Amino acid sequence: DEADALRRRALQLVADRFEARTWRACWLVVMEGRPAEVVAQALGMSVNAVRVAKSRVLGCLRQEFGDLID
């Protein structure tokens, strides 16, 4: 849908502000709907690190784009 396309584009626009693994963790959880546990194992991160990565990236998006990602 249109909101999903906007989220994808917004995530792509801020990707260079984050370490690749941080951004990828967020992408996999938010856009692909994968559980944090699965992403953690795939990326060699703790589950908490995946949750923190998601929070950091989404926080940046909220700051830049407001309610777009809610």
Side-chain angles (χ1 to χ4, degrees):
D1 72 341
E2 188 174 324
D4 210 34
L6 289 172
R7 285 185 197 96
R8 286 179 185 277
R9 183 64 184 138
L11 274 168
Q12 291 166 344
L13 289 172
V14 300
D16 64 345
R17 298 182 191 182
F18 297 94
E19 185 180 309
R21 191 167 68 158
T22 297
W23 183 86
R24 184 76 178 142
C26 181
W27 181 272
L28 292 171
V29 172
V30 173
M31 296 308 300
E32 296 187 13
R34 296 186 191 188
E37 295 79 10
V38 172
V39 173
Q41 186 174 13
L43 297 180
M45 302 169 73
S46 70
V47 174
N48 188 57
V50 170
R51 292 183 178 130
V52 169
K54 175 186 168 190
S55 177
R56 287 184 58 224
V57 175
L58 292 182
C60 177
L61 287 178
R62 283 186 187 98
Q63 190 171 22
E64 291 293 320
F65 302 105
D67 295 332
L68 175 67
I69 52 89
D70 288 333

